[in-house]
Structures are given as structure tokens and as C-alpha cells.
Amino acid sequence: MNTSVTASPGRMRAHRMARGSAVEGAARAGLTARGVIYLLVGVLALQIAFTDSRQQADRGGALAELAEKPFGAVLLWALGVGLAGMALWRLSEVLFGSAGPDGRKASKRLLSAVRVVFYSFVAYSVLSFAAGSGGSGSSDEQSKDVTARALAAPAGQWLVGAAGAGIVVAGVWIAARALLRKYHDKLKLGELSPRTRKLVDVTGVGGGIARGVVFAAAGGFAVRAAVDYEPDKAKGLDDTLRSFAGTPLGPWLLVCVAAGFVLFGLFSFAMARWRRV
């Protein structure tokens, strides 16, 4: 009887350790996959800035670019599995809480739940693309289609306008947190040398600000589509990035944003290495 009693806590500890290792592996695979996508989108956006490329600067374009590389199919499957790992990691945060003293707060769990839905969709689209079913189409067409359906619903203009405003707020929030280096709370700073920490800050701040700017711009286009009741004015990632080249600053603003996406890809790799999970 005593043996079974003493063995039970040991088995529970082993179970928690195994679960922790699996979650950590899923998280780091997901962060790496996210980094690959942002890196590729940034490179594609740079090509648009310098050569006026017609290739999509979004997830679909990144996947098409990757598919053309040696062992492209294998890389696509690995990317999809990694993103599925990201969704599973976020699901574990919903169920058990995330790292940090406030990781069990309801607000944190709700944010993780939103991320579960988002990364599940992204993983599905990537795996569908890898399977040859074309699951990742143009972000621009998807954005216009979703906006058109939403506008046709009762109170559709208010719905699209509110969603667009929410995306604008999210973009400002993302950029502000990057500027304030809030990601330090999630990093194993003790394992970083001063030089490495500076490099991580360059990628984290520059990449986070660029990501926030693109989110805010996409949200602004959604608000405009709602106000004008014209779904074609909504823009996906590709059209949003191209819109930066049409500003008075010309292609150089797009170059800055594209470089920021490359930095965010590198930052995701750093998070995969040093993030506390």
C-alpha cells in the first residue's frame, strides 16, 4: 500500500516533466516556423520594393517560394507541423496557464485562446498547401471576400468597422510593447551575453514596430472599407505592404517595413532559443 502511495507522486512528476518537455518542444518548433514565414515575407517585400515583383508578399507567396527550393515539400510539411505545435503550445496555456507570475490570469488565457484559433487556421492552411490542395490563397482575395460577407450581414458596416478599429489598436499595442521591450519578461536574459542581448533588442524592437505598423495599416483599410461600404478597399498583407510604396516616401518606406519583417523573423528564431516556456 505504501509503495503505491509513494509511487503515485513520482509518476505524477514524471508525467508533468514529459508534458513540459513536449510543450516546450512544440513552442520552440512553432516559433521557428513563424520566423521562417516572416523572414520569407520580408524578403519578398524587399523584392517588390526593388524590382516591382508580382509575387505575393504574404504567407501564400512565402509558401510558394519555399516549395521551389530543394526538398521544398519536406520543408512545407515541417513548417505546418511546427505551426501546429504553436497552436498546441497556446492551447496548453489556455488549460494550464503560461509562464510568468500572471500566467494564470483570465485575460492571459483568453489571449492564448485567440492565438490557438489563429495558429490552428495558419497550420491548416500550410498543411493544405503542402498536401497540394492550395489551402493558402492570396491574403488580398481572402480579406476582400471576408469583408464582403461581413458587410452583407445585419449591422455589417459596424461589425467591419469595429474589427478594423480593433486591428488598429492591436497594431499600436504590438508596436508599443516592442518599443518598451516587454518581451524581456519572456526571455532567459541570464543566458544572453551583452552583445547577444543588443542584437536581440535590435530584432525585437525593429521587427515588432514593423509588425505593428502593418497591423495598424491593415486595420485602417478595413475601417475605410466599412465607412465607404466597399469591400475591395480592404487589403490583405500583400496589398498592405505594397501600399507603403505608394506613399510620398516611395519604395523606401516599404524597404523599412520589409526589413522589419526580416528582423522579426530573426527575433522569432531568438525567441525559439531563449524564450521561457
Side-chain angles (χ1 to χ4, degrees):
M1 180 68 69
N2 291 339
T3 302
S4 63
V5 171
T6 57
S8 181
R11 285 197 297 269
M12 290 176 64
R13 282 195 299 271
H15 176 71
R16 284 196 296 268
M17 289 177 63
R19 186 184 70 199
S21 298
V23 169
E24 182 175 355
R28 303 202 186 285
L31 290 166
T32 300
R34 184 184 73 176
V36 171
I37 289 179
Y38 271 95
L39 191 63
L40 289 173
V41 171
V43 170
L44 291 172
L46 286 172
Q47 291 178 4
I48 290 172
F50 290 115
T51 66
D52 195 29
S53 170
R54 292 292 94 195
Q55 194 162 2
Q56 293 172 220
D58 56 13
R59 185 173 63 249
L63 297 180
E65 182 77 8
L66 196 61
E68 295 176 358
K69 305 300 180 185
F71 305 104
V74 175
L75 294 173
L76 286 172
W77 281 106
L79 200 63
V81 171
L83 290 167
M86 177 78 93
L88 290 174
W89 167 41
R90 295 304 187 181
L91 179 60
S92 76
E93 291 183 335
V94 175
L95 298 175
F96 308 109
S98 57
D102 59 346
R104 294 181 180 273
K105 286 185 176 180
S107 58
K108 294 285 187 179
R109 291 176 186 260
L110 179 60
L111 183 58
S112 293
V114 173
R115 287 168 170 162
V116 169
V117 175
F118 174 75
Y119 282 110
S120 295
F121 170 76
V122 175
Y124 173 78
S125 67
V126 173
L127 290 171
S128 296
F129 188 94
S133 60
S136 187
S138 165
S139 61
D140 302 321
E141 293 302 323
Q142 291 175 356
S143 178
K144 292 172 183 176
D145 182 56
V146 170
T147 303
R149 293 182 182 182
L151 286 175
Q157 278 184 285
W158 290 102
L159 178 64
V160 173
I167 296 172
V168 172
V169 171
V172 173
W173 181 74
I174 289 170
R177 286 181 62 85
L179 190 60
L180 295 172
R181 295 170 172 80
K182 290 293 186 179
Y183 54 81
H184 280 184
D185 299 339
K186 301 174 182 178
L187 283 171
K188 301 175 182 177
L189 295 176
E191 297 183 9
L192 303 179
S193 67
R195 184 172 181 272
T196 301
R197 182 169 173 173
K198 288 180 181 178
L199 291 174
V200 170
D201 279 340
V202 169
T203 61
V205 174
I209 290 175
R211 188 167 172 247
V213 167
V214 172
F215 265 74
F221 287 124
V223 171
R224 182 181 176 186
V227 171
D228 295 343
Y229 203 79
E230 294 184 26
D232 284 349
K233 289 187 176 180
K235 296 182 184 294
L237 178 57
D238 180 60
D239 271 353
T240 299
L241 287 171
R242 290 178 189 275
S243 69
F244 290 113
T247 65
L249 295 176
W252 292 108
L253 181 56
L254 175 56
V255 169
C256 291
V257 173
F261 267 41
V262 171
L263 288 176
F264 190 78
L266 297 175
F267 175 70
S268 295
F269 296 151
M271 292 291 277
R273 171 64 178 83
W274 290 295
R275 195 192 196 282
R276 291 187 291 108
V277 178

